[in-house]
Amino acid sequence: MMGYKILGTSFSACEICGSNTWSIVFSGAVRDGAFGKFSENTAVVAKCGGCGTDRLSEAHCHGDDDFYSSSKYRDLLSAGNTANDFFLAHDTLQLTNLGVLWPESVRGKTVADIGCAAGSFLDHVSGLAAKTIAIEPCEGYHDSLRSRGHAVFSSCEAAIEAGIQNVDYIFSFSVIEHVSNPRSFLADIAAMMAPSSRLLISTPNRRDVLMEMLPEDYQAFFYRTVHRWYFDRESFAECAKHAGLNVVSNRCVHRFGLSNALRWLRDRRPGGTQPLPSVTPVMDSCWQASLEHAGTGDYLYFWLGKPY
Ligand SMILES: [Zn+2]
């Protein structure tokens, strides 16, 4: 396949759609782990002329074969490697995921979570589901996942080989932006789906309001070495189509209150989630609802199904 050079950086044919046409959307140092750590070299983010997805130059991406199956990823985030470390950071995030699941119910259903890490989401639905399947490359979490009653596999391929199929509800939160090939990632999941199965995917929104409000500082934070792919609603729908799936519906969510954006504008860095003086919950609700309506919230969710 022909390479395509932008600012001295090579882009191969798009893994999603095969296009060889790329246009630059960002160049500079990007986040490498927690805030404050940046890539050493100038990274390039380019938009695919075929499917419209943005991609970080491969030379700047983390993600060699054992990056996610070992502790390297969590080490880079300085977030700790134990199941308890994961719960501390992720249990509170499940309310957003469950809010998007509503009003669907997983009662009596088979549920799988792809890239579930220590399985925080699965724990939140395991009381209702008939069976919970944890698919996670990092083996350090496997014993803990098994001890909480989840069936555990390292990959979709391994689950399918073990006879897992026709899973009613499949979830994958904040994973697709990391993978080498989003099209084959979705196609592998689709192999576990029946025509009636539903798949819920979440990923950061490239149209996040702060990308426009504070391009320089926020973009260097938004783009990061562990995220290879950056979607908006349109490019994600294209990706799904290439994987043989349909977007049934989508939802934009903004997970932060107004104070978060005000702090970014004031300090040009992330400032936590505590409200600023005089910022009320009503103002937060209005801010979040406005962004979600405009499609400029920080996260996107997609319900996917097979097109037959
Ligand atoms: Zn493409």
Side-chain angles (χ1 to χ4, degrees):
M1 272 181 230
M2 258 178 59
Y4 189 87
K5 283 233 172 202
I6 302 177
L7 297 178
T9 301
S10 257
F11 281 76
S12 303
C14 174
E15 284 85 343
I16 296 170
C17 73
S19 169
N20 246 316
T21 312
W22 297 93
S23 55
I24 185 165
V25 296
F26 175 86
S27 70
V30 298
R31 179 148 65 109
D32 187 34
F35 176 76
K37 291 196 259 178
F38 287 92
S39 61
E40 284 174 15
N41 304 314
T42 295
V44 176
V45 178
K47 180 188 292 296
C48 171
C51 64
T53 308
D54 290 357
R55 189 203 201 291
L56 179 65
S57 39
E58 184 64 28
H60 299 91
C61 293
H62 276 294
D64 52 24
D65 284 350
D66 67 344
F67 186 67
Y68 293 106
S69 58
S70 69
S71 64
K72 285 183 186 174
Y73 174 51
R74 303 283 162 199
D75 290 344
L76 179 74
L77 299 185
S78 310
N81 283 308
T82 69
N84 276 335
D85 292 330
F86 185 83
F87 299 148
L88 278 174
H90 291 83
D91 276 351
T92 53
L93 303 179
Q94 301 313 325
L95 186 59
T96 310
N97 294 334
L98 293 166
V100 178
L101 170 60
W102 186 88
E104 302 270 334
S105 171
V106 299
R107 187 178 294 280
K109 305 291 187 184
T110 304
V111 170
D113 187 348
I114 317 299
C116 66
S120 181
F121 176 78
L122 288 176
D123 288 351
H124 280 74
V125 297
S126 61
L128 288 176
K131 179 173 184 173
T132 49
I133 300 160
I135 298 189
E136 171 52 44
C138 182
E139 292 189 357
Y141 292 128
H142 285 191
D143 285 345
S144 168
L145 286 162
R146 278 193 202 95
S147 75
R148 280 172 281 127
H150 308 307
V152 182
F153 301 96
S154 292
S155 65
C156 290
E157 202 180 18
I160 291 163
E161 267 174 32
I164 299 291
Q165 57 180 348
N166 300 336
V167 179
D168 297 310
Y169 284 96
I170 306 182
F171 301 90
S172 184
F173 301 114
S174 312
V175 176
I176 194 166
E177 60 273 17
H178 296 262
V179 305
S180 300
N181 185 326
R183 177 182 47 76
S184 60
F185 174 75
L186 291 178
D188 287 349
I189 296 173
M192 291 193 293
M193 294 169 66
S196 61
S197 301
R198 283 290 173 265
L199 165 63
L200 182 62
I201 297 279
S202 77
T203 193
N205 182 12
R206 188 177 72 196
R207 301 255 166 92
D208 182 335
V209 65
L210 284 168
M211 293 288 276
E212 213 174 305
M213 275 189 178
L214 195 62
E216 206 170 299
D217 297 275
Y218 192 72
Q219 289 190 12
F221 173 80
F222 180 83
Y223 296 123
R224 62 200 84 170
T225 54
V226 293
H227 290 181
R228 188 175 270 106
W229 304 97
Y230 305 91
F231 293 98
D232 56 22
R233 287 196 275 210
E234 292 75 20
S235 63
F236 187 88
E238 277 296 306
C239 178
K241 206 162 69 181
H242 281 283
L245 290 168
N246 273 354
V247 174
V248 178
S249 63
N250 68 75
R251 186 152 156 213
C252 180
V253 168
H254 194 66
R255 302 170 303 166
F256 304 102
L258 179 60
S259 299
N260 176 267
L262 293 175
R263 277 209 179 84
W264 262 107
L265 295 173
R266 186 187 70 185
D267 303 334
R268 299 184 174 259
R269 53 171 295 143
T273 54
Q274 287 304 307
L276 287 168
S278 302
V279 174
T280 65
V282 174
M283 291 163 75
D284 284 338
S285 296
C286 188
W287 167 248
Q288 288 166 316
S290 300
L291 298 183
E292 289 170 7
H293 181 70
T296 53
D298 77 305
Y299 243 73
L300 294 172
Y301 285 81
F302 300 91
W303 277 111
L304 304 164
K306 289 193 162 178
Y308 45 82

